[in-house]
Structures are given as C-alpha cells and as structure tokens.
Amino acid sequence: RYLNVLPNIGIQATIRKYGSLFMNYSQRIQRPGIHYLNPFVEYMDPYNVSFGNPRLLPSLFHSFQLGYSHSFKQSSFNASLNYQFSGNSIVSVTEWGLDTVKKATFGNLGAYHYAGLSIYGYIRLSEVVSLSLGGYMNYYRYSNGPQKNGSYYEGLSETVTSGLSFRFKKNWSAG
C-alpha cells in the first residue's frame, strides 16, 4: 500500500555566453502519521470525539521548476519559476451527528497550490568583499475539501535577502 515510485527529472541546457536554462519535475510524498491513522475513538467530552482514518492515503505533491543561471567573471545571476500542487492533501474533517456529537477525523480531501518566483545575484566587489542579493515571491492556495463549511486559505509572501561577506588570508572568511 505504501510502495511509491517518485520520479525526479532534470534537464539543463548550456547556451554559450548566455548561461544555462534548466527544467525540473519531481514528486514527493507525505505519509500520514500514526495519530492520523489510529481508528480508536478519543472522547474529549460527551459532545466531542475524534478518531483517525486507517484508509488515509499518502499525499502526493508534484513540483515543476523552470530556471535560468548565468555566471560572469566576478558575479552570477539565478532566477527560477516554481509551481507545486497536490490534490489529495490530508485535512481535518468534522461531522455533526444526529445526536449532536461533533466527530473529528481526517481525509484526503485537501488541495494545495503554490507558485513562486525567486531571484538571486552575487557580485565580487574586491579581492576581499562580496555582495549577494536575493528575493522571492510566492502565492499559495490551500483548501480543505468539498465540505459544507469548507474553507480555503490563500496569500502572497515576499522575502528579500542580502549579505556582505569578507574573505581574509589563509582561507578565513566572514559573512
């Protein structure tokens, strides 16, 4: 039941004087933990119970990446577009019984989408000093399935990074 073949394929083309283009595709898996699988009922109080779902499947994530990199004499530049999705993410499922007891368990009902852009640059300013700048922007959307009160979350995140490093004699450096 848990035997999975997870491909990881990468292609890179070097274009003289212009750098390299690359494409990657990979799959990864997220298996449910024991808490998600344990079918024994846990009574929190007379109106709330929870239990695992032994029929859960592993969540399968697909990742795509398209990128470009170029190195100069004293610098380098990298940029990539990324997309990842899963159509069977493990999410909490809550049902109300006719007896007004709230029953909480788990199901493979979630959907996850992520798209991102990352850019990184490096320049050697002198024999001793180097500067790096980078950043990424990501959009994500996560839904918890087609429940009556189903919900989704989406957002945008951005990060900018920079660094200054110093190289000293005898292979010592600081950054």
Side-chain angles (χ1 to χ4, degrees):
R1 172 164 147 145
Y2 284 120
L3 177 64
N4 296 89
V5 176
L6 302 171
N8 187 358
I9 301 165
I11 299 171
Q12 181 173 344
T14 302
I15 305 165
R16 292 185 202 164
K17 297 182 184 180
Y18 298 108
S20 297
L21 292 172
F22 59 90
M23 294 187 313
N24 295 313
Y25 168 75
S26 65
Q27 285 183 352
R28 69 179 179 85
I29 192 170
Q30 183 178 15
R31 292 190 172 104
I34 191 68
H35 171 73
Y36 295 97
L37 298 169
N38 187 352
F40 295 105
V41 177
E42 180 181 345
Y43 294 91
M44 273 91 97
D45 60 47
Y47 301 104
N48 294 285
V49 298
S50 67
F51 50 93
N53 179 355
R55 293 188 183 105
L56 281 177
L57 299 173
S59 296
L60 186 62
F61 291 85
H62 301 270
S63 294
F64 301 88
Q65 183 180 38
L66 175 64
Y68 170 77
S69 65
H70 188 74
S71 293
F72 305 93
K73 289 182 181 181
Q74 301 292 320
S75 61
S76 65
F77 172 79
N78 300 296
S80 66
L81 294 169
N82 305 288
Y83 177 67
Q84 185 179 80
F85 73 93
S86 174
N88 70 337
S89 299
I90 298 170
V91 295
S92 296
V93 177
T94 303
E95 298 174 352
W96 290 92
L98 295 174
D99 54 2
T100 67
V101 175
K102 184 171 114 178
K103 300 172 185 170
T105 188
F106 304 95
N108 290 103
L109 301 173
Y112 170 83
H113 296 272
Y114 158 89
L117 166 68
S118 64
I119 298 173
Y120 174 80
Y122 167 87
I123 186 166
R124 191 169 172 184
L125 299 173
S126 71
E127 290 289 325
V128 178
V129 181
S130 298
L131 173 68
S132 62
L133 291 170
Y136 58 86
M137 183 174 359
N138 300 317
Y139 167 79
Y140 61 91
R141 181 181 171 103
Y142 182 80
S143 64
N144 68 352
Q147 301 176 33
K148 289 180 184 176
N149 296 321
S151 60
Y152 72 92
Y153 309 94
E154 67 180 339
L156 193 62
S157 66
E158 309 87 15
T159 300
V160 175
T161 62
S162 64
L164 196 59
S165 59
F166 301 91
R167 179 179 223 145
F168 305 108
K169 294 182 181 183
K170 296 184 182 180
N171 295 327
W172 284 85
S173 63

